[in-house]
Amino acid sequence: VSEPYSVDPELIDTVETEGYKRIWGSPEGAFFLLKKSGAEIRQYPGSDIRNISVKGTQKLISSERGNYYALISYSNFLPTQLQVTAVSVYDRSGELLWTKEGPGCNAFIMCDSAPLLVGIEGAEGFPESRLVFFNSSGETVGNAKVQNFYNGQFCENGEFFFGISGAGSLLKFSNTG
């Protein structure tokens, strides 16, 4: 007698993990593999791996499903001097879409349906943070002050950004701030 909801999974891809600091996957099937000196992206099972150079003062982030990723450059990683000097946004093919020098933020949240970003000026739990909205060309299109900003996410089509305030509020913004 078989279980009514049993499945017979099929292995479709394998990536060796030795030497990686962080590995994450997207629902669309992309692997992001972060090493000490760089990163690799494999978009589809069996596809070639794309190598990305990541310096010691850089960090790689991706959108939820891996359609976009960003390379964030810091002046250094000392807690008292943590300052983003540039953010560069790429599509999943590796094409550079835009770079913003001195964005004035120290963390970012990416949209998956378009190369949009929300930058966070301040830190999680600070009494007041400022959200900075960047359009698909990297231009600042708006900002909003938020009390005790905790986290946020774009809706699926990127039209709205939802934030959570530690003060107990769910916030909804248009993607222009």
Side-chain angles (χ1 to χ4, degrees):
V1 179
S2 67
E3 296 289 323
Y5 299 106
S6 67
V7 294
D8 189 14
E10 176 186 349
L11 178 64
I12 57 172
D13 202 3
T14 302
V15 174
E16 296 300 320
T17 60
E18 188 174 333
Y20 293 104
K21 289 174 29 179
R22 182 171 175 233
I23 299 170
W24 68 99
S26 73
E28 302 298 320
F31 285 113
F32 291 83
L33 308 115
L34 187 59
K35 299 187 289 188
K36 197 168 200 169
S37 61
E40 298 174 357
I41 299 175
R42 180 185 295 187
Q43 291 296 338
Y44 300 103
S47 69
D48 292 336
I49 293 178
R50 179 176 307 102
N51 291 306
I52 303 164
S53 175
V54 178
K55 298 175 187 167
T57 56
Q58 293 179 317
K59 177 181 174 183
L60 183 72
I61 64 170
S62 71
S63 62
E64 186 177 339
R65 292 192 171 127
N67 287 325
Y68 299 95
Y69 62 94
L71 192 60
I72 303 169
S73 300
Y74 294 88
S75 56
N76 61 51
F77 280 122
L78 296 174
T80 58
Q81 299 175 350
L82 186 64
Q83 178 183 1
V84 175
T85 58
V87 59
S88 299
V89 175
Y90 300 82
D91 66 14
R92 70 172 12 173
S93 73
E95 180 183 344
L96 175 64
L97 301 176
W98 57 267
T99 296
K100 178 77 170 181
E101 300 288 332
C105 305
N106 55 353
F108 298 89
I109 298 171
M110 300 192 77
C111 180
D112 198 62
S113 61
L116 309 172
L117 283 182
V118 168
I120 300 133
E121 188 178 286
E124 182 180 312
F126 271 27
E128 184 173 273
S129 296
R130 187 170 69 103
L131 304 181
V132 181
F133 292 75
F134 298 94
N135 69 12
S136 59
S137 300
E139 298 166 347
T140 303
V141 293
N143 63 73
K145 288 184 180 179
V146 176
Q147 299 298 315
N148 298 78
F149 179 75
Y150 179 69
N151 203 346
Q153 181 175 334
F154 282 93
C155 67
E156 193 168 315
N157 69 3
E159 185 177 352
F160 300 105
F161 179 80
F162 294 90
I164 299 171
S165 164
S169 301
L170 177 61
L171 311 165
K172 179 181 177 183
F173 299 94
S174 67
N175 66 15
T176 56

